Amino acid sequence: PPAQIMFCTLNTHKADMDKLLGAQIGLEDFIFAHIKGQRKEVEVLKTDDVLGLTITDNGTGCPFIKRIKEGSLMDQTKIVCVGDHIETINGKNVSNHRHYEVAKMLKDLEKGQVFKLELIEPLKAFEKLEPRSKSGTLTTAKISRGRETLRLRTKGPATVEQMPTEVEEKAIKKVDELLETYMGIRDIELAATMVEAGRDKKNPDEFAVALDETLGDFAFPDEFVFDVWGAIGDAKQGRL
């Protein structure tokens, strides 16, 4: 439902405030909708006149945190994160307020006093995905290795150190099909990264740990991880 959408980003699943959806959208752009997730509360002692927050809103009743100044009071309050929707301030619901109204309320809080925020963080990417219907899947085609819609690694450059073997190429193709089934996207390099993570693993538990270390930000559902491991195993056994 539209009321669950906090904000949208272009071409990234992360809460990257430099990628907020704007007026310019290209034909190859992907829009990622960030929806409401877990609620959280925090009490903060206002020891400074400036909290270090930049607030914006989506224009439909959802003020959220766009920036947190490094070293500021709110930067030290680790429970508060960029992308969080500010739902209440000291029990007052501010969901339908514009960003400048929320910013003024925070600024007007008395120095030296404790105030309470109720926040809603964006749901972590891909946390509740289920397989889509297999009808209408893409036909086999050459997949571009140019501009991609998903980043492949949480740390370091998206590079594959070893060239994939013929067996791994078959596994990569199958994993790419699974990505389309579960998530509606084709990303051959992401599929290659996942196959690489399972290269020397002996069981699905080891693979899940390796996948989490490599691509933990994606929070892939367990069923998807199991199917990917099965595809890798099928390729190794010559069943693909």
Side-chain angles (χ1 to χ4, degrees):
Q4 290 297 309
I5 298 175
M6 301 168 64
F7 54 88
C8 296
T9 53
L10 278 181
N11 303 319
T12 178
H13 70 286
K14 298 181 180 180
D16 185 343
M17 296 297 112
D18 292 326
K19 302 290 185 178
L20 285 176
L21 176 63
Q24 300 299 319
I25 304 175
L27 292 176
E28 296 182 353
D29 286 332
F30 274 79
I31 299 174
F32 289 81
H34 299 256
I35 64 175
K36 294 178 181 179
Q38 182 178 343
R39 280 180 162 78
K40 54 190 179 182
E41 298 180 1
V42 60
E43 290 187 345
V44 182
L45 173 62
K46 189 174 183 181
T47 57
D48 199 332
D49 289 324
V50 179
L51 295 177
L53 292 180
T54 299
I55 311 296
T56 189
D57 66 71
N58 66 4
T60 60
C62 183
F64 60 92
I65 299 171
K66 185 175 183 180
R67 299 273 188 272
I68 300 178
K69 184 178 180 181
E70 186 175 355
S72 66
L73 174 62
M74 297 308 290
D75 186 42
Q76 299 168 34
T77 309
K78 299 305 180 184
I79 195 172
V80 179
C81 303
V82 168
D84 286 353
H85 164 44
I86 301 176
E87 186 175 42
T88 72
I89 301 173
N90 283 334
K92 178 179 174 59
N93 194 306
V94 298
S95 291
N96 292 318
H97 289 63
R98 296 303 307 273
H99 61 91
Y100 51 83
E101 296 175 308
V102 175
K104 186 177 187 304
M105 290 180 193
L106 292 171
K107 182 180 179 181
D108 289 346
L109 292 171
E110 189 175 347
K111 185 177 178 180
Q113 298 296 312
V114 173
F115 65 94
K116 178 181 176 182
L117 296 177
E118 292 183 70
L119 308 162
I120 302 178
E121 64 183 30
L123 189 68
K124 194 170 184 181
F126 307 140
E127 194 169 86
K128 294 187 180 294
L129 283 180
E130 296 178 354
R132 303 194 316 158
S133 166
K134 291 188 177 181
S135 62
T137 56
L138 297 176
T139 56
T140 301
K142 183 176 180 181
I143 300 165
S144 171
R145 289 175 178 262
R147 181 178 178 185
E148 304 297 336
T149 61
L150 299 176
R151 300 303 89 201
L152 307 184
R153 303 179 189 276
T154 58
K155 299 177 182 178
T159 57
V160 178
E161 279 120 25
Q162 299 180 36
M163 292 294 292
T165 63
E166 183 177 349
V167 169
E168 287 173 336
E169 287 282 7
K170 292 180 179 179
I172 290 168
K173 181 180 177 181
K174 181 61 178 178
V175 172
D176 188 48
E177 292 173 358
L178 288 171
L179 282 169
E180 200 279 335
T181 299
Y182 275 80
M183 302 170 194
I185 59 101
R186 288 291 190 117
D187 195 318
I188 199 72
E189 293 188 15
L190 177 59
T193 301
M194 299 179 78
V195 171
E196 181 190 5
R199 180 173 283 157
D200 302 318
K201 303 304 176 287
K202 297 181 175 59
N203 56 61
D205 290 335
E206 288 184 5
F207 174 63
V209 170
L211 202 61
D212 189 56
E213 291 175 351
T214 307
L215 296 164
D217 279 357
F218 288 93
F220 294 119
D222 292 341
E223 186 178 357
F224 173 70
V225 174
F226 184 80
D227 284 351
V228 170
W229 173 253
I232 294 173
D234 287 345
K236 289 179 178 179
Q237 297 300 319
R239 294 192 290 267
L240 292 181

PDB file of all heavy atoms in Angstrom, residues 8-10 19-25 31:
ATOM      1  N   CYS A   8      11.705   6.332  -2.104  1.00  0.00           N
ATOM      2  CA  CYS A   8      12.188   5.480  -3.192  1.00  0.00           C
ATOM      3  C   CYS A   8      13.592   5.918  -3.602  1.00  0.00           C
ATOM      4  O   CYS A   8      13.940   7.100  -3.539  1.00  0.00           O
ATOM      5  CB  CYS A   8      11.259   5.556  -4.398  1.00  0.00           C
ATOM      6  SG  CYS A   8       9.598   4.919  -4.110  1.00  0.00           S
ATOM      7  N   THR A   9      14.385   4.939  -4.033  1.00  0.00           N
ATOM      8  CA  THR A   9      15.719   5.229  -4.557  1.00  0.00           C
ATOM      9  C   THR A   9      15.835   4.679  -5.971  1.00  0.00           C
ATOM     10  O   THR A   9      15.117   3.759  -6.364  1.00  0.00           O
ATOM     11  CB  THR A   9      16.815   4.605  -3.673  1.00  0.00           C
ATOM     12  OG1 THR A   9      16.543   3.204  -3.486  1.00  0.00           O
ATOM     13  CG2 THR A   9      16.882   5.294  -2.319  1.00  0.00           C
ATOM     14  N   LEU A  10      16.755   5.248  -6.724  1.00  0.00           N
ATOM     15  CA  LEU A  10      17.008   4.807  -8.088  1.00  0.00           C
ATOM     16  C   LEU A  10      18.241   3.919  -8.155  1.00  0.00           C
ATOM     17  O   LEU A  10      19.318   4.292  -7.680  1.00  0.00           O
ATOM     18  CB  LEU A  10      17.218   6.008  -9.015  1.00  0.00           C
ATOM     19  CG  LEU A  10      15.988   6.734  -9.561  1.00  0.00           C
ATOM     20  CD1 LEU A  10      16.428   7.872 -10.463  1.00  0.00           C
ATOM     21  CD2 LEU A  10      15.069   5.785 -10.313  1.00  0.00           C
ATOM     22  N   LYS A  19      20.644   8.922  -3.854  1.00  0.00           N
ATOM     23  CA  LYS A  19      19.957   8.237  -4.948  1.00  0.00           C
ATOM     24  C   LYS A  19      18.439   8.317  -4.809  1.00  0.00           C
ATOM     25  O   LYS A  19      17.718   7.502  -5.380  1.00  0.00           O
ATOM     26  CB  LYS A  19      20.383   6.759  -4.979  1.00  0.00           C
ATOM     27  CG  LYS A  19      21.867   6.528  -5.135  1.00  0.00           C
ATOM     28  CD  LYS A  19      22.369   6.906  -6.516  1.00  0.00           C
ATOM     29  CE  LYS A  19      23.839   6.543  -6.692  1.00  0.00           C
ATOM     30  NZ  LYS A  19      24.324   6.851  -8.036  1.00  0.00           N
ATOM     31  N   LEU A  20      17.963   9.292  -4.030  1.00  0.00           N
ATOM     32  CA  LEU A  20      16.518   9.437  -3.879  1.00  0.00           C
ATOM     33  C   LEU A  20      15.849   9.676  -5.224  1.00  0.00           C
ATOM     34  O   LEU A  20      16.393  10.371  -6.087  1.00  0.00           O
ATOM     35  CB  LEU A  20      16.193  10.591  -2.931  1.00  0.00           C
ATOM     36  CG  LEU A  20      16.408  10.347  -1.432  1.00  0.00           C
ATOM     37  CD1 LEU A  20      16.132  11.627  -0.657  1.00  0.00           C
ATOM     38  CD2 LEU A  20      15.530   9.221  -0.926  1.00  0.00           C
ATOM     39  N   LEU A  21      14.671   9.105  -5.392  1.00  0.00           N
ATOM     40  CA  LEU A  21      13.919   9.276  -6.631  1.00  0.00           C
ATOM     41  C   LEU A  21      13.604  10.747  -6.863  1.00  0.00           C
ATOM     42  O   LEU A  21      13.080  11.431  -5.984  1.00  0.00           O
ATOM     43  CB  LEU A  21      12.613   8.479  -6.547  1.00  0.00           C
ATOM     44  CG  LEU A  21      11.646   8.612  -7.713  1.00  0.00           C
ATOM     45  CD1 LEU A  21      12.271   8.098  -8.999  1.00  0.00           C
ATOM     46  CD2 LEU A  21      10.359   7.849  -7.409  1.00  0.00           C
ATOM     47  N   GLY A  22      13.955  11.231  -8.051  1.00  0.00           N
ATOM     48  CA  GLY A  22      13.685  12.622  -8.404  1.00  0.00           C
ATOM     49  C   GLY A  22      12.881  12.703  -9.679  1.00  0.00           C
ATOM     50  O   GLY A  22      12.137  11.784 -10.036  1.00  0.00           O
ATOM     51  N   ALA A  23      13.057  13.782 -10.393  1.00  0.00           N
ATOM     52  CA  ALA A  23      12.262  14.004 -11.604  1.00  0.00           C
ATOM     53  C   ALA A  23      12.828  13.260 -12.813  1.00  0.00           C
ATOM     54  O   ALA A  23      12.104  12.964 -13.753  1.00  0.00           O
ATOM     55  CB  ALA A  23      12.180  15.500 -11.897  1.00  0.00           C
ATOM     56  N   GLN A  24      14.130  13.004 -12.808  1.00  0.00           N
ATOM     57  CA  GLN A  24      14.764  12.416 -13.978  1.00  0.00           C
ATOM     58  C   GLN A  24      14.844  10.895 -13.845  1.00  0.00           C
ATOM     59  O   GLN A  24      15.529  10.375 -12.985  1.00  0.00           O
ATOM     60  CB  GLN A  24      16.180  12.986 -14.164  1.00  0.00           C
ATOM     61  CG  GLN A  24      16.209  14.491 -14.364  1.00  0.00           C
ATOM     62  CD  GLN A  24      15.441  14.926 -15.601  1.00  0.00           C
ATOM     63  OE1 GLN A  24      15.519  14.277 -16.634  1.00  0.00           O
ATOM     64  NE2 GLN A  24      14.709  16.025 -15.494  1.00  0.00           N
ATOM     65  N   ILE A  25      14.110  10.182 -14.691  1.00  0.00           N
ATOM     66  CA  ILE A  25      14.121   8.722 -14.691  1.00  0.00           C
ATOM     67  C   ILE A  25      14.402   8.243 -16.107  1.00  0.00           C
ATOM     68  O   ILE A  25      13.707   8.641 -17.047  1.00  0.00           O
ATOM     69  CB  ILE A  25      12.775   8.146 -14.207  1.00  0.00           C
ATOM     70  CG1 ILE A  25      12.425   8.692 -12.818  1.00  0.00           C
ATOM     71  CG2 ILE A  25      12.823   6.624 -14.168  1.00  0.00           C
ATOM     72  CD1 ILE A  25      11.069   8.260 -12.329  1.00  0.00           C
ATOM     73  N   ILE A  31      13.439   1.468  -9.950  1.00  0.00           N
ATOM     74  CA  ILE A  31      12.974   2.186  -8.765  1.00  0.00           C
ATOM     75  C   ILE A  31      12.807   1.182  -7.628  1.00  0.00           C
ATOM     76  O   ILE A  31      12.110   0.181  -7.768  1.00  0.00           O
ATOM     77  CB  ILE A  31      11.632   2.899  -9.031  1.00  0.00           C
ATOM     78  CG1 ILE A  31      11.793   3.921 -10.157  1.00  0.00           C
ATOM     79  CG2 ILE A  31      11.120   3.575  -7.770  1.00  0.00           C
ATOM     80  CD1 ILE A  31      10.475   4.562 -10.583  1.00  0.00           C
TER      81      ILE A  31
END
